[in-house]
Amino acid sequence: MDARKLRILAAVVDNYIKTGEPVGSKTISMMPEIKVSAATVRNDMAILEELGLLEQPHTSAGRVPTFSGYRLYIEEILGKRELEPEERKRLDAMLGDEELFTEELLLQNASTALAEITKCATVVSNLAPKYSVISKVEVIPTGKRIYVVLLITSNGKIKNKACRMEFDLTQEHMEFLKRFLEENLEGVSVSELSDEKLDQLITAMGTYMVALSPLVKGICEMSRDLQKNEVIVTGEQNLLTYRDLDKSEIVRFISHKNELSSLLDDSMSGVQVMFGEEEDQGFVIGNSSIIVSKYQKSGKTAGSLGVIGPVRLDYAKIIPYIDYFTEKLTRFLSDQGEGKEEGNDE
Amino acid sequence: MDARKLRILAAVVDNYIKTGEPVGSKTISMMPEIKVSAATVRNDMAILEELGLLEQPHTSAGRVPTFSGYRLYIEEILGKRELEPEERKRLDAMLGDEELFTEELLLQNASTALAEITKCATVVSNLAPKYSVISKVEVIPTGKRIYVVLLITSNGKIKNKACRMEFDLTQEHMEFLKRFLEENLEGVSVSELSDEKLDQLITAMGTYMVALSPLVKGICEMSRDLQKNEVIVTGEQNLLTYRDLDKSEIVRFISHKNELSSLLDDSMSGVQVMFGEEEDQGFVIGNSSIIVSKYQKSGKTAGSLGVIGPVRLDYAKIIPYIDYFTEKLTRFLSDQGEGKEEGNDE
DNA sequence: TGTTAGCACTCAGACATCACGAGTGCTAAC
DNA sequence: GTTAGCACTCGTGATGTCTGAGTGCTAACA
């Protein structure tokens, strides 16, 4: 694969991203970086087509990059671009006041900022709840055999749930419960609370079992809620502006966004680009691509941030942005050390 | 307006709802309930057109009902139909087990059921939080100057919020706070907690003001959250199946669903039908109609339930369904008396 | 051997034309 | 007041034609 062919491929991709029209040999031969005639370009393009990097929608049309073409373009041709200082400033300004950041807020601001800059939809998946540890459990009586269970996790999430009991708890019950929960649940990882663990806990309560098990069950339900990590999509409306995305598929995507979570979580670290049709998940929008990057906390993946748009996306611009945001998130989470305990559950 | 013209109008509406095609005089004259020739039908249709009840998309096409046409059809021609026993049974089955109902669950089940039956989107707006009263406020220390405020309302909603303080609170602070909150907040309506009320409360704390005001502020923020009532939309995807609804408008609608709340809350009691273009709210989908009905609790409107679909909707079928569900909700809320205290804030 | 000009060929898209048929309004007769 | 008949309208879909962008191939050139 010689350098000129790569230049031609790059030119096709650039041009197609810009115009959305198949690119012909003449257009390319007129570009300053290509100094050969249209005929030569044609010869090269025929070879690029044989290699599966370009394709023709129909005989008398120009060339369009294939998925492999895009991939090669992104991986080989686009170098890792560093952001200009002004760009950084602009992005930082969009993120808002650093003082006020929590992981959640930073993530949210980053995704709105990305959506605004790229005019695409952004997706965010936060694994933090999954890896968090129960830091406090509290049971509060609220009259008439109703008890509110409050669960606070190490990453600052707070969850609550009302439990209706068969009868009111005595002072003794409450004291036992307080001690029991402290000893058996505080410090336990949210993901540890499986059904078996629940059974163990209930058995461990001994004679208090009958009276108190609904509360423990409630706690397990909450931690199960915490385990399934949610995908947040921002800027869906932006997708409407692209002619090459099917509107019904967009709606379908929006209502099934949670199915994205496996896609996001399975992806490798670093910036990764996936194309709608290539993935076999049925819910992905045709002709769309998704750029995802993961951020870390103390060496472990803590979540991911991505942009969803048409396949013809300005990768050269967007990838560095995503990179910047995920680096920022990773840095923030490591600076933050043991973790602030803020946040609320709305 | 003679009876035959009404019958013809009804026939046009029925037929148009069924087929989506403009209805011609011949089609109508062949219907069993119309015993006149096509020519006569044409004469009558011309008059109905003059009255603004029908219109022609173009000269050589059949007639289509106008909004007024639909309205007349719904109000004058469709009587209030009672549901068949089987229909009731079917609806009840879809609502699920009565034993488990809370207002929220019932509302949610009703809207999913409606969405499924009607193949439309349903909207739900619950005013309950707005009218609820604070039944309990609790402050729980969670280490390192972080305090979780827990707010429980009369309708069973639980909200929580973490507040970071300047310094840790003493035993004395906590005792004062407990008494203060009990005396000043329990029993207060959520909607009462305005900014002025907040100022009053803070002043009333006297020397404790400096230390404790962040907590009170947190409480007010939460009650403000409770006040703005959310609109829940179910079955948006169903809207995609209708050719006469614009897909981009559907997406726009989904992402601005909260703007519906004023529309829902302002509507009168009883079943009401509104048409997309007639309302001046910009966000409504063109060519769509919305059927809303409100349910009550102790004489006051407690929320609304509606169906959104294309203008050509099977009103004859849907209206009784909505009616049934809102009656059921109203009945449930009045049976329930002072209100169960269940629910959780996820 | 790689590059280029020239040329015949292909094909989507725009545009015009045409026939069809569903539906109308009007008129005159019943 | 109702109906049959008829001329007229007009959207729809099928068909044909033209155009231009773009191609592949070939032969000449460096």
Side-chain angles (χ1 to χ4, degrees), chain A residues 4 36-37 40 42-43 58-60:
Chain A
R4 192 183 60 205
V36 292
S37 76
T40 311
R42 275 204 290 283
N43 289 333
H58 56 254
T59 330
S60 68

PDB file of all heavy atoms in Angstrom, chain A residues 4 36-37 40 42-43 58-60, chain C residues 2-7 10-13:
ATOM      1  N   ARG A   4       0.738   7.206  -1.928  1.00  0.00           N
ATOM      2  CA  ARG A   4      -0.253   7.950  -2.701  1.00  0.00           C
ATOM      3  C   ARG A   4      -1.650   7.351  -2.532  1.00  0.00           C
ATOM      4  O   ARG A   4      -2.634   8.066  -2.391  1.00  0.00           O
ATOM      5  CB  ARG A   4       0.126   7.972  -4.179  1.00  0.00           C
ATOM      6  CG  ARG A   4      -0.719   8.976  -4.975  1.00  0.00           C
ATOM      7  CD  ARG A   4      -0.401   8.947  -6.433  1.00  0.00           C
ATOM      8  NE  ARG A   4      -0.663   7.637  -6.994  1.00  0.00           N
ATOM      9  CZ  ARG A   4      -0.043   7.190  -8.079  1.00  0.00           C
ATOM     10  NH1 ARG A   4       0.885   7.922  -8.677  1.00  0.00           N
ATOM     11  NH2 ARG A   4      -0.345   5.995  -8.550  1.00  0.00           N
ATOM     12  N   VAL A  36      -1.460  13.959  -9.311  1.00  0.00           N
ATOM     13  CA  VAL A  36      -1.565  13.110 -10.497  1.00  0.00           C
ATOM     14  C   VAL A  36      -2.887  13.346 -11.213  1.00  0.00           C
ATOM     15  O   VAL A  36      -3.785  13.991 -10.674  1.00  0.00           O
ATOM     16  CB  VAL A  36      -1.439  11.617 -10.122  1.00  0.00           C
ATOM     17  CG1 VAL A  36      -0.042  11.294  -9.641  1.00  0.00           C
ATOM     18  CG2 VAL A  36      -2.473  11.254  -9.097  1.00  0.00           C
ATOM     19  N   SER A  37      -3.011  12.807 -12.396  1.00  0.00           N
ATOM     20  CA  SER A  37      -4.217  13.041 -13.197  1.00  0.00           C
ATOM     21  C   SER A  37      -5.364  12.171 -12.703  1.00  0.00           C
ATOM     22  O   SER A  37      -5.171  11.219 -11.946  1.00  0.00           O
ATOM     23  CB  SER A  37      -3.950  12.692 -14.647  1.00  0.00           C
ATOM     24  OG  SER A  37      -3.948  11.289 -14.766  1.00  0.00           O
ATOM     25  N   THR A  40      -5.006   8.421 -13.306  1.00  0.00           N
ATOM     26  CA  THR A  40      -4.182   7.718 -12.330  1.00  0.00           C
ATOM     27  C   THR A  40      -4.972   7.468 -11.053  1.00  0.00           C
ATOM     28  O   THR A  40      -4.932   6.378 -10.474  1.00  0.00           O
ATOM     29  CB  THR A  40      -2.940   8.561 -12.005  1.00  0.00           C
ATOM     30  OG1 THR A  40      -2.353   8.976 -13.220  1.00  0.00           O
ATOM     31  CG2 THR A  40      -1.957   7.771 -11.193  1.00  0.00           C
ATOM     32  N   ARG A  42      -8.028   7.165 -10.864  1.00  0.00           N
ATOM     33  CA  ARG A  42      -8.987   6.083 -11.151  1.00  0.00           C
ATOM     34  C   ARG A  42      -8.343   4.719 -10.978  1.00  0.00           C
ATOM     35  O   ARG A  42      -8.914   3.819 -10.361  1.00  0.00           O
ATOM     36  CB  ARG A  42      -9.524   6.223 -12.563  1.00  0.00           C
ATOM     37  CG  ARG A  42     -10.687   7.170 -12.663  1.00  0.00           C
ATOM     38  CD  ARG A  42     -11.544   6.862 -13.874  1.00  0.00           C
ATOM     39  NE  ARG A  42     -10.886   7.181 -15.129  1.00  0.00           N
ATOM     40  CZ  ARG A  42     -10.750   8.405 -15.611  1.00  0.00           C
ATOM     41  NH1 ARG A  42     -11.204   9.449 -14.939  1.00  0.00           N
ATOM     42  NH2 ARG A  42     -10.153   8.617 -16.765  1.00  0.00           N
ATOM     43  N   ASN A  43      -7.140   4.599 -11.529  1.00  0.00           N
ATOM     44  CA  ASN A  43      -6.444   3.317 -11.386  1.00  0.00           C
ATOM     45  C   ASN A  43      -6.271   2.963  -9.910  1.00  0.00           C
ATOM     46  O   ASN A  43      -6.564   1.840  -9.493  1.00  0.00           O
ATOM     47  CB  ASN A  43      -5.075   3.379 -12.062  1.00  0.00           C
ATOM     48  CG  ASN A  43      -5.204   3.413 -13.580  1.00  0.00           C
ATOM     49  OD1 ASN A  43      -6.193   2.907 -14.117  1.00  0.00           O
ATOM     50  ND2 ASN A  43      -4.248   4.015 -14.246  1.00  0.00           N
ATOM     51  N   HIS A  58     -23.096   2.806  -7.337  1.00  0.00           N
ATOM     52  CA  HIS A  58     -23.491   2.250  -8.636  1.00  0.00           C
ATOM     53  C   HIS A  58     -22.420   2.608  -9.657  1.00  0.00           C
ATOM     54  O   HIS A  58     -21.585   3.486  -9.403  1.00  0.00           O
ATOM     55  CB  HIS A  58     -24.853   2.768  -9.081  1.00  0.00           C
ATOM     56  CG  HIS A  58     -24.912   4.262  -9.125  1.00  0.00           C
ATOM     57  ND1 HIS A  58     -25.588   4.989  -8.180  1.00  0.00           N
ATOM     58  CD2 HIS A  58     -24.339   5.156  -9.939  1.00  0.00           C
ATOM     59  CE1 HIS A  58     -25.447   6.268  -8.444  1.00  0.00           C
ATOM     60  NE2 HIS A  58     -24.695   6.404  -9.509  1.00  0.00           N
ATOM     61  N   THR A  59     -22.487   1.959 -10.800  1.00  0.00           N
ATOM     62  CA  THR A  59     -21.382   2.055 -11.761  1.00  0.00           C
ATOM     63  C   THR A  59     -20.934   3.478 -12.059  1.00  0.00           C
ATOM     64  O   THR A  59     -19.748   3.776 -12.068  1.00  0.00           O
ATOM     65  CB  THR A  59     -21.782   1.409 -13.105  1.00  0.00           C
ATOM     66  OG1 THR A  59     -22.696   0.370 -12.843  1.00  0.00           O
ATOM     67  CG2 THR A  59     -20.570   0.891 -13.821  1.00  0.00           C
ATOM     68  N   SER A  60     -21.893   4.340 -12.338  1.00  0.00           N
ATOM     69  CA  SER A  60     -21.471   5.663 -12.788  1.00  0.00           C
ATOM     70  C   SER A  60     -21.408   6.682 -11.656  1.00  0.00           C
ATOM     71  O   SER A  60     -21.646   7.848 -11.858  1.00  0.00           O
ATOM     72  CB  SER A  60     -22.416   6.160 -13.864  1.00  0.00           C
ATOM     73  OG  SER A  60     -23.675   6.410 -13.299  1.00  0.00           O
TER      74      SER A  60
ATOM     75  P    DG C   2       4.930  -0.318 -12.097  1.00  0.00           P
ATOM     76  OP1  DG C   2       5.048  -0.752 -10.689  1.00  0.00           O
ATOM     77  OP2  DG C   2       3.962  -0.960 -13.006  1.00  0.00           O
ATOM     78  O5'  DG C   2       4.644   1.240 -12.085  1.00  0.00           O
ATOM     79  C5'  DG C   2       5.655   2.134 -11.631  1.00  0.00           C
ATOM     80  C4'  DG C   2       5.343   3.505 -12.191  1.00  0.00           C
ATOM     81  O4'  DG C   2       5.419   3.442 -13.642  1.00  0.00           O
ATOM     82  C3'  DG C   2       3.930   4.008 -11.855  1.00  0.00           C
ATOM     83  O3'  DG C   2       4.010   5.382 -11.540  1.00  0.00           O
ATOM     84  C2'  DG C   2       3.168   3.769 -13.150  1.00  0.00           C
ATOM     85  C1'  DG C   2       4.240   4.016 -14.193  1.00  0.00           C
ATOM     86  N9   DG C   2       3.996   3.400 -15.488  1.00  0.00           N
ATOM     87  C8   DG C   2       3.680   2.085 -15.750  1.00  0.00           C
ATOM     88  N7   DG C   2       3.531   1.846 -17.025  1.00  0.00           N
ATOM     89  C5   DG C   2       3.760   3.076 -17.639  1.00  0.00           C
ATOM     90  C6   DG C   2       3.730   3.439 -19.021  1.00  0.00           C
ATOM     91  O6   DG C   2       3.497   2.730 -19.989  1.00  0.00           O
ATOM     92  N1   DG C   2       4.018   4.796 -19.191  1.00  0.00           N
ATOM     93  C2   DG C   2       4.289   5.667 -18.190  1.00  0.00           C
ATOM     94  N2   DG C   2       4.543   6.926 -18.544  1.00  0.00           N
ATOM     95  N3   DG C   2       4.324   5.349 -16.898  1.00  0.00           N
ATOM     96  C4   DG C   2       4.050   4.035 -16.700  1.00  0.00           C
ATOM     97  P    DT C   3       2.723   6.200 -11.160  1.00  0.00           P
ATOM     98  OP1  DT C   3       3.100   7.193 -10.135  1.00  0.00           O
ATOM     99  OP2  DT C   3       1.645   5.237 -10.904  1.00  0.00           O
ATOM    100  O5'  DT C   3       2.400   6.983 -12.486  1.00  0.00           O
ATOM    101  C5'  DT C   3       3.317   8.001 -12.910  1.00  0.00           C
ATOM    102  C4'  DT C   3       2.771   8.652 -14.144  1.00  0.00           C
ATOM    103  O4'  DT C   3       2.643   7.670 -15.198  1.00  0.00           O
ATOM    104  C3'  DT C   3       1.385   9.285 -13.986  1.00  0.00           C
ATOM    105  O3'  DT C   3       1.491  10.645 -14.369  1.00  0.00           O
ATOM    106  C2'  DT C   3       0.493   8.482 -14.914  1.00  0.00           C
ATOM    107  C1'  DT C   3       1.486   7.961 -15.943  1.00  0.00           C
ATOM    108  N1   DT C   3       1.117   6.713 -16.646  1.00  0.00           N
ATOM    109  C2   DT C   3       0.982   6.740 -18.011  1.00  0.00           C
ATOM    110  O2   DT C   3       1.137   7.719 -18.692  1.00  0.00           O
ATOM    111  N3   DT C   3       0.641   5.533 -18.578  1.00  0.00           N
ATOM    112  C4   DT C   3       0.438   4.327 -17.925  1.00  0.00           C
ATOM    113  O4   DT C   3       0.145   3.304 -18.546  1.00  0.00           O
ATOM    114  C5   DT C   3       0.592   4.376 -16.493  1.00  0.00           C
ATOM    115  C7   DT C   3       0.386   3.137 -15.682  1.00  0.00           C
ATOM    116  C6   DT C   3       0.925   5.554 -15.916  1.00  0.00           C
ATOM    117  P    DT C   4       0.248  11.604 -14.121  1.00  0.00           P
ATOM    118  OP1  DT C   4       0.765  12.955 -13.834  1.00  0.00           O
ATOM    119  OP2  DT C   4      -0.669  10.940 -13.199  1.00  0.00           O
ATOM    120  O5'  DT C   4      -0.397  11.649 -15.567  1.00  0.00           O
ATOM    121  C5'  DT C   4       0.388  12.118 -16.656  1.00  0.00           C
ATOM    122  C4'  DT C   4      -0.341  11.857 -17.947  1.00  0.00           C
ATOM    123  O4'  DT C   4      -0.459  10.439 -18.164  1.00  0.00           O
ATOM    124  C3'  DT C   4      -1.770  12.414 -18.011  1.00  0.00           C
ATOM    125  O3'  DT C   4      -1.838  13.346 -19.065  1.00  0.00           O
ATOM    126  C2'  DT C   4      -2.641  11.197 -18.277  1.00  0.00           C
ATOM    127  C1'  DT C   4      -1.648  10.222 -18.883  1.00  0.00           C
ATOM    128  N1   DT C   4      -1.986   8.788 -18.713  1.00  0.00           N
ATOM    129  C2   DT C   4      -2.193   8.012 -19.827  1.00  0.00           C
ATOM    130  O2   DT C   4      -2.109   8.432 -20.962  1.00  0.00           O
ATOM    131  N3   DT C   4      -2.504   6.704 -19.561  1.00  0.00           N
ATOM    132  C4   DT C   4      -2.626   6.109 -18.317  1.00  0.00           C
ATOM    133  O4   DT C   4      -2.910   4.930 -18.212  1.00  0.00           O
ATOM    134  C5   DT C   4      -2.412   6.984 -17.198  1.00  0.00           C
ATOM    135  C7   DT C   4      -2.516   6.455 -15.818  1.00  0.00           C
ATOM    136  C6   DT C   4      -2.104   8.280 -17.425  1.00  0.00           C
ATOM    137  P    DA C   5      -2.926  14.462 -19.018  1.00  0.00           P
ATOM    138  OP1  DA C   5      -2.231  15.763 -19.101  1.00  0.00           O
ATOM    139  OP2  DA C   5      -3.882  14.206 -17.936  1.00  0.00           O
ATOM    140  O5'  DA C   5      -3.631  14.177 -20.407  1.00  0.00           O
ATOM    141  C5'  DA C   5      -2.850  14.134 -21.591  1.00  0.00           C
ATOM    142  C4'  DA C   5      -3.620  13.424 -22.681  1.00  0.00           C
ATOM    143  O4'  DA C   5      -3.738  12.019 -22.362  1.00  0.00           O
ATOM    144  C3'  DA C   5      -5.051  13.946 -22.876  1.00  0.00           C
ATOM    145  O3'  DA C   5      -5.229  14.185 -24.264  1.00  0.00           O
ATOM    146  C2'  DA C   5      -5.939  12.811 -22.372  1.00  0.00           C
ATOM    147  C1'  DA C   5      -5.058  11.590 -22.590  1.00  0.00           C
ATOM    148  N9   DA C   5      -5.287  10.502 -21.643  1.00  0.00           N
ATOM    149  C8   DA C   5      -5.303  10.590 -20.275  1.00  0.00           C
ATOM    150  N7   DA C   5      -5.503   9.434 -19.668  1.00  0.00           N
ATOM    151  C5   DA C   5      -5.642   8.528 -20.702  1.00  0.00           C
ATOM    152  C6   DA C   5      -5.867   7.145 -20.712  1.00  0.00           C
ATOM    153  N6   DA C   5      -5.994   6.406 -19.607  1.00  0.00           N
ATOM    154  N1   DA C   5      -5.948   6.525 -21.910  1.00  0.00           N
ATOM    155  C2   DA C   5      -5.813   7.280 -23.018  1.00  0.00           C
ATOM    156  N3   DA C   5      -5.589   8.589 -23.135  1.00  0.00           N
ATOM    157  C4   DA C   5      -5.508   9.164 -21.929  1.00  0.00           C
ATOM    158  P    DG C   6      -6.584  14.731 -24.853  1.00  0.00           P
ATOM    159  OP1  DG C   6      -6.257  15.538 -26.056  1.00  0.00           O
ATOM    160  OP2  DG C   6      -7.342  15.325 -23.733  1.00  0.00           O
ATOM    161  O5'  DG C   6      -7.290  13.400 -25.331  1.00  0.00           O
ATOM    162  C5'  DG C   6      -6.531  12.433 -26.053  1.00  0.00           C
ATOM    163  C4'  DG C   6      -7.443  11.289 -26.460  1.00  0.00           C
ATOM    164  O4'  DG C   6      -7.503  10.317 -25.387  1.00  0.00           O
ATOM    165  C3'  DG C   6      -8.896  11.728 -26.719  1.00  0.00           C
ATOM    166  O3'  DG C   6      -9.361  11.037 -27.864  1.00  0.00           O
ATOM    167  C2'  DG C   6      -9.629  11.294 -25.466  1.00  0.00           C
ATOM    168  C1'  DG C   6      -8.859  10.048 -25.067  1.00  0.00           C
ATOM    169  N9   DG C   6      -8.910   9.717 -23.658  1.00  0.00           N
ATOM    170  C8   DG C   6      -8.839  10.590 -22.584  1.00  0.00           C
ATOM    171  N7   DG C   6      -8.901   9.974 -21.425  1.00  0.00           N
ATOM    172  C5   DG C   6      -9.027   8.634 -21.748  1.00  0.00           C
ATOM    173  C6   DG C   6      -9.141   7.499 -20.910  1.00  0.00           C
ATOM    174  O6   DG C   6      -9.144   7.455 -19.678  1.00  0.00           O
ATOM    175  N1   DG C   6      -9.244   6.326 -21.641  1.00  0.00           N
ATOM    176  C2   DG C   6      -9.251   6.254 -23.010  1.00  0.00           C
ATOM    177  N2   DG C   6      -9.360   5.052 -23.530  1.00  0.00           N
ATOM    178  N3   DG C   6      -9.143   7.306 -23.818  1.00  0.00           N
ATOM    179  C4   DG C   6      -9.032   8.462 -23.117  1.00  0.00           C
ATOM    180  P    DC C   7     -10.766  11.438 -28.537  1.00  0.00           P
ATOM    181  OP1  DC C   7     -10.544  11.550 -29.997  1.00  0.00           O
ATOM    182  OP2  DC C   7     -11.359  12.568 -27.772  1.00  0.00           O
ATOM    183  O5'  DC C   7     -11.630  10.138 -28.267  1.00  0.00           O
ATOM    184  C5'  DC C   7     -11.051   8.836 -28.467  1.00  0.00           C
ATOM    185  C4'  DC C   7     -11.999   7.785 -27.910  1.00  0.00           C
ATOM    186  O4'  DC C   7     -11.756   7.612 -26.494  1.00  0.00           O
ATOM    187  C3'  DC C   7     -13.483   8.159 -28.040  1.00  0.00           C
ATOM    188  O3'  DC C   7     -14.209   7.012 -28.438  1.00  0.00           O
ATOM    189  C2'  DC C   7     -13.855   8.595 -26.638  1.00  0.00           C
ATOM    190  C1'  DC C   7     -13.000   7.637 -25.815  1.00  0.00           C
ATOM    191  N1   DC C   7     -12.768   8.065 -24.416  1.00  0.00           N
ATOM    192  C2   DC C   7     -12.721   7.098 -23.409  1.00  0.00           C
ATOM    193  O2   DC C   7     -12.856   5.908 -23.713  1.00  0.00           O
ATOM    194  N3   DC C   7     -12.524   7.487 -22.127  1.00  0.00           N
ATOM    195  C4   DC C   7     -12.379   8.783 -21.841  1.00  0.00           C
ATOM    196  N4   DC C   7     -12.174   9.136 -20.561  1.00  0.00           N
ATOM    197  C5   DC C   7     -12.427   9.790 -22.846  1.00  0.00           C
ATOM    198  C6   DC C   7     -12.624   9.395 -24.120  1.00  0.00           C
ATOM    199  P    DT C  10     -22.679  -0.116 -22.013  1.00  0.00           P
ATOM    200  OP1  DT C  10     -22.792  -1.584 -21.849  1.00  0.00           O
ATOM    201  OP2  DT C  10     -23.553   0.618 -22.948  1.00  0.00           O
ATOM    202  O5'  DT C  10     -22.821   0.530 -20.578  1.00  0.00           O
ATOM    203  C5'  DT C  10     -21.838   0.237 -19.579  1.00  0.00           C
ATOM    204  C4'  DT C  10     -22.252   0.943 -18.310  1.00  0.00           C
ATOM    205  O4'  DT C  10     -21.964   2.363 -18.416  1.00  0.00           O
ATOM    206  C3'  DT C  10     -23.737   0.812 -17.977  1.00  0.00           C
ATOM    207  O3'  DT C  10     -23.833   0.407 -16.631  1.00  0.00           O
ATOM    208  C2'  DT C  10     -24.287   2.217 -18.220  1.00  0.00           C
ATOM    209  C1'  DT C  10     -23.073   3.098 -17.942  1.00  0.00           C
ATOM    210  N1   DT C  10     -23.023   4.413 -18.633  1.00  0.00           N
ATOM    211  C2   DT C  10     -22.735   5.532 -17.900  1.00  0.00           C
ATOM    212  O2   DT C  10     -22.526   5.517 -16.715  1.00  0.00           O
ATOM    213  N3   DT C  10     -22.687   6.700 -18.629  1.00  0.00           N
ATOM    214  C4   DT C  10     -22.896   6.838 -19.990  1.00  0.00           C
ATOM    215  O4   DT C  10     -22.826   7.931 -20.531  1.00  0.00           O
ATOM    216  C5   DT C  10     -23.208   5.621 -20.686  1.00  0.00           C
ATOM    217  C7   DT C  10     -23.466   5.661 -22.160  1.00  0.00           C
ATOM    218  C6   DT C  10     -23.264   4.465 -19.993  1.00  0.00           C
ATOM    219  P    DC C  11     -25.145  -0.215 -16.065  1.00  0.00           P
ATOM    220  OP1  DC C  11     -24.737  -1.265 -15.116  1.00  0.00           O
ATOM    221  OP2  DC C  11     -26.087  -0.495 -17.171  1.00  0.00           O
ATOM    222  O5'  DC C  11     -25.711   0.998 -15.229  1.00  0.00           O
ATOM    223  C5'  DC C  11     -24.820   1.713 -14.363  1.00  0.00           C
ATOM    224  C4'  DC C  11     -25.496   2.996 -13.935  1.00  0.00           C
ATOM    225  O4'  DC C  11     -25.288   4.020 -14.933  1.00  0.00           O
ATOM    226  C3'  DC C  11     -27.019   2.863 -13.777  1.00  0.00           C
ATOM    227  O3'  DC C  11     -27.364   3.516 -12.596  1.00  0.00           O
ATOM    228  C2'  DC C  11     -27.560   3.593 -14.998  1.00  0.00           C
ATOM    229  C1'  DC C  11     -26.508   4.692 -15.147  1.00  0.00           C
ATOM    230  N1   DC C  11     -26.446   5.333 -16.472  1.00  0.00           N
ATOM    231  C2   DC C  11     -25.996   6.652 -16.566  1.00  0.00           C
ATOM    232  O2   DC C  11     -25.654   7.251 -15.542  1.00  0.00           O
ATOM    233  N3   DC C  11     -25.951   7.239 -17.784  1.00  0.00           N
ATOM    234  C4   DC C  11     -26.323   6.555 -18.870  1.00  0.00           C
ATOM    235  N4   DC C  11     -26.245   7.172 -20.053  1.00  0.00           N
ATOM    236  C5   DC C  11     -26.782   5.201 -18.791  1.00  0.00           C
ATOM    237  C6   DC C  11     -26.833   4.634 -17.579  1.00  0.00           C
ATOM    238  P    DA C  12     -28.597   2.995 -11.753  1.00  0.00           P
ATOM    239  OP1  DA C  12     -28.187   1.915 -10.852  1.00  0.00           O
ATOM    240  OP2  DA C  12     -29.714   2.793 -12.687  1.00  0.00           O
ATOM    241  O5'  DA C  12     -28.867   4.289 -10.877  1.00  0.00           O
ATOM    242  C5'  DA C  12     -27.759   4.906 -10.228  1.00  0.00           C
ATOM    243  C4'  DA C  12     -28.019   6.388 -10.081  1.00  0.00           C
ATOM    244  O4'  DA C  12     -27.889   7.048 -11.360  1.00  0.00           O
ATOM    245  C3'  DA C  12     -29.407   6.749  -9.557  1.00  0.00           C
ATOM    246  O3'  DA C  12     -29.258   7.849  -8.691  1.00  0.00           O
ATOM    247  C2'  DA C  12     -30.182   7.107 -10.829  1.00  0.00           C
ATOM    248  C1'  DA C  12     -29.098   7.701 -11.708  1.00  0.00           C
ATOM    249  N9   DA C  12     -29.272   7.459 -13.145  1.00  0.00           N
ATOM    250  C8   DA C  12     -29.686   6.304 -13.742  1.00  0.00           C
ATOM    251  N7   DA C  12     -29.716   6.375 -15.060  1.00  0.00           N
ATOM    252  C5   DA C  12     -29.282   7.660 -15.333  1.00  0.00           C
ATOM    253  C6   DA C  12     -29.080   8.348 -16.542  1.00  0.00           C
ATOM    254  N6   DA C  12     -29.308   7.814 -17.744  1.00  0.00           N
ATOM    255  N1   DA C  12     -28.635   9.633 -16.470  1.00  0.00           N
ATOM    256  C2   DA C  12     -28.402  10.157 -15.259  1.00  0.00           C
ATOM    257  N3   DA C  12     -28.550   9.596 -14.052  1.00  0.00           N
ATOM    258  C4   DA C  12     -28.998   8.341 -14.165  1.00  0.00           C
ATOM    259  P    DG C  13     -30.470   8.473  -7.959  1.00  0.00           P
ATOM    260  OP1  DG C  13     -29.980   8.984  -6.671  1.00  0.00           O
ATOM    261  OP2  DG C  13     -31.604   7.531  -8.023  1.00  0.00           O
ATOM    262  O5'  DG C  13     -30.798   9.713  -8.893  1.00  0.00           O
ATOM    263  C5'  DG C  13     -29.766  10.671  -9.155  1.00  0.00           C
ATOM    264  C4'  DG C  13     -30.385  11.828  -9.901  1.00  0.00           C
ATOM    265  O4'  DG C  13     -30.503  11.465 -11.300  1.00  0.00           O
ATOM    266  C3'  DG C  13     -31.794  12.176  -9.424  1.00  0.00           C
ATOM    267  O3'  DG C  13     -31.918  13.588  -9.417  1.00  0.00           O
ATOM    268  C2'  DG C  13     -32.696  11.509 -10.466  1.00  0.00           C
ATOM    269  C1'  DG C  13     -31.843  11.618 -11.724  1.00  0.00           C
ATOM    270  N9   DG C  13     -32.099  10.594 -12.736  1.00  0.00           N
ATOM    271  C8   DG C  13     -32.497   9.286 -12.542  1.00  0.00           C
ATOM    272  N7   DG C  13     -32.625   8.621 -13.661  1.00  0.00           N
ATOM    273  C5   DG C  13     -32.292   9.544 -14.650  1.00  0.00           C
ATOM    274  C6   DG C  13     -32.251   9.403 -16.066  1.00  0.00           C
ATOM    275  O6   DG C  13     -32.499   8.403 -16.740  1.00  0.00           O
ATOM    276  N1   DG C  13     -31.869  10.591 -16.689  1.00  0.00           N
ATOM    277  C2   DG C  13     -31.565  11.749 -16.027  1.00  0.00           C
ATOM    278  N2   DG C  13     -31.224  12.782 -16.780  1.00  0.00           N
ATOM    279  N3   DG C  13     -31.598  11.897 -14.708  1.00  0.00           N
ATOM    280  C4   DG C  13     -31.967  10.755 -14.087  1.00  0.00           C
TER     281       DG C  13
END
